[in-house]
Amino acid sequence: MRQSQMLIPTLKENPADADVISHRLMLRAGLIRQVASGLYTWLPLGLRVLRRVEQILREELARSGAQEVLMPVVQPAELWEESGRWHKMGPEMLRMQDRHQRNFCLSPTHEEVVTDLFRREVHSYRQLPCNFYQIQTKFRDEVRPRFGVMRAREFTMKDGYSFHMDQESLDATYREMHDCYSRILRRMDLRFRAVEADTGNIGGASSHEFHVLADSGEDVIVHALHSDYAANLEKATAAAPPTRPAPTAALTRVATPGQESIAEVSAFLSLPAARCLKTLILDGVDGPVAVVLRGDHALNEIKAQKLPGVTVPLRLAADTAVLEAAGCRPGSLGPLGLAIPTWVDIEAAAVADFVCGANTDGFHYTGANWERDIPLDATRVVDVRNVLPGDPAPDGSGPLALQRGIEVGHIFQLGRVYSAPLAAGVLDRSGASVIPLMGCYGIGVTRMVAAIIEQNHDDAGIIWPRPVAPFDVHVIALNYAKSEAVRTATEGLLQELEQLGFSVLLDDRDERAGVKFADADLIGIPHRVTVGDRGLAQGVVEYRGRRDTENQEVALAALAERLR
Ligand code: ATP
Ligand code: MG
């Protein structure tokens, strides 16, 4: 391909509204352009990368026995009513009507449609297990589209769905897809981690996420330093704390004027934050509820949202509601005498002789103790905090560590969450109708391209891993317009390399060498070959790998073999 004939609108400057490196580089290298918030056009160079990523997915999914289908993006409301999600899905789902005023949505995911396909076409246990996938557009009206294609509103997902007669078969396919995703990420040379995940609002039992490790990731993932334990922070737990020591101090009410935050109270009383319990009041379905945590611990919103009576999404109660429930401002809250349902984090329940608010502005208790001073109902002791680096792993193997990741893949065991309401029964051996178990498996294809860049770049631009690069070789022709020798040599090279199966981008533009090199670094094709009059006079060209710091002279005649 000739660069003069391809739309690669590179930018010298960093675009103002791009906060992460991949977004900046995708704009600067001319891979994508924004059409509206969260909506992007993929330009020729970007699309080549996207297609190579898709090709790797197709190859590995075929190896895992999945069959490719293509389902519609526009879907009838009736199917979503059958699953109960037409009313459950929030504003993320874009709804519309056709000319007959019938309701439709732009699909955020395809469980309903695939289950409908299955119930119409698959009737016998002999046809199971089966595993369908597609690479298709999804639309989710995200609250905050950002980071370019990483969190877009319209994006491409590889989504797959499997159907099984029993748990053993579902487990086998689930493991196979786990392996398949690992192979895919390894083929793209990505550093990644598979972690236990929260099952979110899709529901179901087992779930793993695949995260590409990057500081810009929106997710925090937790792993044990000395074992295989790994989980999303949303779900990660630590080993249970040791049993609570016996009380030694006397309960004392102390004046703490103006001391409201844990930092202020702990400094004022010269006690570590871990000994100061904090009480949060949340909005509840039937009135406010309280959660008590150690002062050095943070509330885990995903865990808290699962507590009975807590609103989803979780909301801290307004100051007026706090005053009404406890008679004070949020900075003086405590569990002693609090007359609303109270959940206590397991770590907070293990502290003795602690400090807590006295539910009177400007006062705290010191030397407070569970049971002796404050009743503690064992069924109200729960895990609702975020683990911290260094916390003991739940498997007893040693400390936990935290790092950031970009979720590129997610696999779930759905059970019968969709197959039951859609009545997708099949006949078993004895002729009885059985509702199959389902698994579902997603990869964010467009997000994957951004994640690859997050892990592979330098100050000058993108460094494509070879398996997904838009081209294999970038031939830079210096003085192409004026020099007959350069034209002849590069055209010959282009032909020779293409015959060997390399894809080649030939920079035949009438631009200064400096501009061409800067663009080449930005675009990040793995191999760069520079052809100029001076070298040709000696029969040589310059070779440089995208990660190299020096050029190497290579005889023109030997180059193709060398690249091979
Ligand atoms: P997230 O927590 O990032 O919103 P999710 O849990 O909603 O993701 P799934 O419903 O499991 O995602 O979708 C499967 C995959 O689709 C995700 O792992 C992710 O790679 C991709 N994906 C999800 N939402 C978006 C988005 N708004 N833009 C681009 N890719 C997305
Ligand atoms: Mg989401």
Side-chain angles (χ1 to χ4, degrees), residues 79-316:
L79 284 178
W80 290 77
E81 272 159 5
E82 277 192 76
S83 72
R85 284 209 287 187
W86 184 257
H87 299 286
K88 222 175 179 178
M89 298 290 288
E92 258 196 23
M93 187 155 92
L94 188 62
R95 296 154 213 256
M96 65 211 152
Q97 291 193 326
D98 70 1
R99 64 171 80 202
H100 308 295
Q101 283 76 54
R102 284 193 285 250
N103 289 320
F104 288 84
C105 67
L106 278 189
S107 180
T109 175
H110 278 71
E111 284 83 6
E112 282 77 0
V113 168
V114 79
T115 308
D116 181 55
L117 169 74
F118 177 88
R119 73 177 166 185
R120 287 169 192 273
E121 308 302 333
V122 180
H123 304 292
S124 161
Y125 72 94
R126 286 196 198 86
Q127 295 166 280
L128 267 58
C130 54
N131 191 358
F132 303 104
Y133 83 93
Q134 64 174 349
I135 296 179
Q136 176 62 301
T137 300
K138 299 280 184 276
F139 189 91
R140 294 181 183 178
D141 204 352
E142 300 274 359
V143 200
R144 282 178 68 204
R146 57 195 172 141
F147 306 151
V149 298
M150 201 107 85
R151 184 165 297 284
R153 293 198 293 170
E154 185 178 301
F155 58 97
T156 309
M157 197 198 289
K158 185 293 301 179
D159 47 327
Y161 308 88
S162 65
F163 296 84
H164 309 270
M165 291 304 288
D166 53 40
Q167 184 64 38
E168 205 184 332
S169 164
L170 172 56
D171 286 342
T173 298
Y174 188 83
R175 272 196 306 275
E176 177 56 46
M177 295 313 292
H178 194 292
D179 289 352
C180 177
Y181 279 26
S182 304
R183 290 200 304 272
I184 287 167
L185 291 163
R186 275 200 296 273
R187 272 186 66 176
M188 294 181 193
D189 286 344
L190 290 167
R191 282 177 287 115
F192 70 97
R193 220 176 253 289
V195 305
E196 285 176 24
D198 182 66
T199 45
N201 65 359
I202 294 195
S206 188
S207 167
H208 285 84
E209 289 168 352
F210 288 77
H211 287 266
V212 166
L213 305 178
D215 290 338
S216 58
E218 286 185 284
D219 283 75
V220 176
I221 55 178
V222 178
H223 69 276
L225 289 177
H226 306 299
S227 79
D228 290 340
Y229 177 79
N232 193 307
L233 181 65
E234 291 178 347
K235 154 127 193 178
T237 56
T243 43
R244 185 176 59 237
T248 58
L251 181 68
T252 314
R253 195 167 184 266
V254 294
T256 47
Q259 314 299 314
E260 299 209 328
S261 68
I262 289 289
E264 288 165 352
V265 172
S266 106
F268 185 77
L269 298 172
S270 305
L271 279 169
R275 286 271 301 283
C276 304
L277 300 194
K278 74 178 156 204
T279 304
L280 304 172
I281 296 197
L282 308 176
D283 281 345
V285 187
D286 314 304
V289 297
V291 179
V292 182
L293 294 154
R294 244 169 61 175
D296 58 335
H297 287 160
L299 183 70
N300 181 308
E301 297 191 8
I302 302 293
K303 293 178 185 174
Q305 277 174 192
K306 292 195 173 144
L307 296 175
V310 171
T311 59
V312 181
L314 176 129
R315 276 188 316 266
L316 275 181

Side-chain angles (χ1 to χ4, degrees), residues 36-107:
S37 170
L39 306 177
Y40 291 87
T41 293
W42 286 74
L43 305 188
L45 204 58
L47 189 61
R48 289 181 71 97
V49 176
L50 194 59
R51 293 289 182 251
R52 291 200 74 181
V53 169
E54 291 173 1
Q55 182 59 25
I56 292 175
L57 298 181
R58 287 196 167 92
E59 287 170 18
E60 293 303 331
L61 284 155
R63 282 178 63 188
S64 289
Q67 325 171 44
E68 187 169 4
V69 294
L70 191 60
M71 295 178 273
V73 175
V74 176
Q75 301 185 352
E78 289 75 23
L79 284 178
W80 290 77
E81 272 159 5
E82 277 192 76
S83 72
R85 284 209 287 187
W86 184 257
H87 299 286
K88 222 175 179 178
M89 298 290 288
E92 258 196 23
M93 187 155 92
L94 188 62
R95 296 154 213 256
M96 65 211 152
Q97 291 193 326
D98 70 1
R99 64 171 80 202
H100 308 295
Q101 283 76 54
R102 284 193 285 250
N103 289 320
F104 288 84
C105 67
L106 278 189
S107 180

Side-chain angles (χ1 to χ4, degrees), residues 404-465:
R404 290 202 157 263
I406 301 166
E407 180 198 320
V408 292
H410 201 168
I411 60 177
F412 281 86
Q413 292 203 358
L414 291 172
R416 300 188 174 87
V417 176
Y418 297 95
S419 48
L422 271 77
V426 290
L427 298 181
D428 72 4
R429 237 170 248 281
S430 65
S433 180
V434 173
I435 300 290
L437 294 166
M438 287 175 67
C440 82
Y441 318 95
I443 287 185
V445 188
T446 38
R447 180 183 286 184
M448 181 94 86
V449 175
I452 292 169
I453 297 173
E454 288 294 331
Q455 254 187 25
N456 296 280
H457 65 268
D458 62 13
D459 290 343
I462 302 169
I463 308 177
W464 291 112

